[in-house]
Amino acid sequence: MRIDDVRHAADQIAGRVVRTPVLRLPELDARLGATLHLKAELHQLTGAFKIRGALNKLLSLAPEARSRGVVAASSGNHGQAVALLAQMLTVPAVLVLPQDAPAVKLEAVARRGARIVTYDPVRDDRDAITARIAAEAGLAVLPSSDDPVVAAGHGTVALELLAETGRLDRLVVPVGGGGLAAGCATVAKALYPGIEVVGVEPADGDDTARSLRAGHRVHVPAPTTLADGLRHQSPGRFTFEVNRKLVDRIETVSDDEIAAAMGALWTHGRLMAEPTGAVALAGVLARRPDARGLRVGVVVSGGNVDSEVFRRIVAPHVGEQEAWAVPGALR
């Protein structure tokens, strides 16, 4: 994958997705002694960056393959993106989702008319389920991450960010399957070879960190982290090879640090990020002296979280009065 692949993706998806804002939060800057540029993908269609890669892949399929339909496995955000795109482009879609996916994500997929197949994330192999459905129904598989066309679509996040900010000292991205990191790192290193690219994973779900230390892909037990979008048990084959070359380091964060980052985004910017969406900022806040004096890009990757769940998570970090200001919170 090259930056030209990402530029092609940007041209292909232009006008169909949101060019999300890059936000500045002065109080957070002062707290860190750094200059943060927050790429607010929680303002994207379906509330997360996933639609970028999904649309790039869908538009890359041959017309006859697209007309037969697609099947996709997802923790929720990719599923929402595929369901919306299938509805917009009149493409049949089957979504393979974990039975414990947040209700807000399951409901959004169902509302858009996609067929849902659930699986047990501890006992079942979702990729095997997806492959079986694809073979039986003649559907194209639409990967959420581990695919060069999908990753190029995700890389448009960094293309937009850096077009607005210019050179940054550091780019911080969440790491799950690795597609967002691979796409963003490809762009960042091509435009600014000296930039540091940092990936952040939940401590309970550190498959990429372990794999990079081992020098090969490793499998971890099913994670239970708050960050439901990052409960991967191993990095993707394609994405791991890209990230081992271009990502400078991986940081891990606890659930409490993720919750604190969600609280900071709410307090300083009224941004209601889901746990996965706040992971990159959690990595910055947990090691705040490390960012002092730097210009840092941070991808806030999504905001699909139930308001009452959000309130419960952030309350210990923002106080009850702030927590009750969450729209839709129950008193």
Side-chain angles (χ1 to χ4, degrees), residues 223-244:
T224 58
T225 172
L226 272 179
D228 59 281
L230 303 180
R231 290 175 183 167
H232 293 74
Q233 293 183 263
S234 63
R237 289 178 175 82
F238 166 75
T239 55
F240 177 67
E241 292 305 321
V242 175
N243 289 331
R244 74 192 299 190

Side-chain angles (χ1 to χ4, degrees), residues 207-297:
D207 52 295
T208 296
R210 293 193 198 191
S211 296
L212 290 175
R213 288 196 297 270
H216 58 83
R217 294 167 65 241
V218 301
H219 190 85
V220 302
T224 58
T225 172
L226 272 179
D228 59 281
L230 303 180
R231 290 175 183 167
H232 293 74
Q233 293 183 263
S234 63
R237 289 178 175 82
F238 166 75
T239 55
F240 177 67
E241 292 305 321
V242 175
N243 289 331
R244 74 192 299 190
K245 295 173 185 174
L246 298 180
V247 174
D248 293 287
R249 58 191 168 94
I250 299 286
E251 300 284 359
T252 59
V253 290
S254 67
D255 276 359
D256 192 59
E257 288 167 335
I258 294 170
M262 292 169 67
L265 288 168
W266 176 251
T267 298
H268 300 301
R270 284 300 187 258
L271 297 173
M272 205 163 114
E274 63 184 281
T276 297
V279 161
L281 180 62
V284 177
L285 292 175
R287 293 149 189 83
R288 67 184 64 177
D290 188 45
R292 187 168 297 278
L294 301 183
R295 299 181 74 242
V296 182

Side-chain angles (χ1 to χ4, degrees), residues 1-263:
M1 182 173 55
R2 300 171 301 166
I3 191 172
D4 285 348
D5 299 314
V6 181
R7 288 178 171 138
H8 173 72
D11 290 340
Q12 183 156 251
I13 69 177
R16 297 177 186 259
V17 301
V18 175
R19 188 180 181 95
T20 53
V22 178
L23 304 178
R24 297 289 314 285
L25 302 180
E27 291 179 341
L28 193 54
D29 284 358
R31 176 175 164 185
L32 286 164
T35 303
L36 300 190
H37 300 267
L38 305 173
K39 183 61 168 165
E41 285 296 292
L42 74 176
H43 292 322
Q44 185 55 261
L45 294 177
T46 71
F49 75 96
K50 288 288 189 176
I51 198 167
R52 295 173 180 270
L55 179 58
N56 195 43
K57 183 68 174 180
L58 193 56
L59 294 177
S60 299
L61 295 176
E64 59 272 19
R66 192 159 63 238
S67 67
R68 285 195 299 271
V70 298
V71 57
S74 169
S75 61
N77 283 337
H78 178 60
Q80 288 190 67
V82 173
L84 175 62
L85 293 172
Q87 184 181 57
M88 290 169 55
L89 302 174
T90 319
V91 175
V94 179
L95 278 304
V96 181
L97 305 175
Q99 60 191 25
D100 62 349
V104 66
K105 298 182 180 182
L106 289 170
E107 290 164 4
V109 171
R111 189 169 59 247
R112 293 179 175 118
R115 177 186 160 209
I116 297 175
V117 175
T118 60
Y119 70 95
D120 184 327
V122 175
R123 294 197 299 265
D124 297 335
D125 182 341
R126 77 174 191 177
D127 292 334
I129 294 171
T130 303
R132 175 178 55 77
I133 293 171
E136 291 175 354
L139 304 179
V141 176
L142 204 60
S144 66
S145 179
D146 194 23
D147 178 275
V149 177
V150 172
H154 294 342
T156 60
V157 171
L159 200 65
E160 291 176 7
L161 171 64
L162 292 168
E164 187 164 334
T165 65
R167 186 188 64 80
L168 296 173
D169 299 302
R170 180 178 297 160
L171 177 62
V172 187
V173 296
V175 180
L180 177 63
C184 288
T186 295
V187 171
K189 292 292 187 178
L191 293 177
Y192 302 105
I195 193 172
E196 182 184 31
V197 179
V198 178
V200 185
E201 289 184 303
D204 183 17
D206 61 342
D207 52 295
T208 296
R210 293 193 198 191
S211 296
L212 290 175
R213 288 196 297 270
H216 58 83
R217 294 167 65 241
V218 301
H219 190 85
V220 302
T224 58
T225 172
L226 272 179
D228 59 281
L230 303 180
R231 290 175 183 167
H232 293 74
Q233 293 183 263
S234 63
R237 289 178 175 82
F238 166 75
T239 55
F240 177 67
E241 292 305 321
V242 175
N243 289 331
R244 74 192 299 190
K245 295 173 185 174
L246 298 180
V247 174
D248 293 287
R249 58 191 168 94
I250 299 286
E251 300 284 359
T252 59
V253 290
S254 67
D255 276 359
D256 192 59
E257 288 167 335
I258 294 170
M262 292 169 67

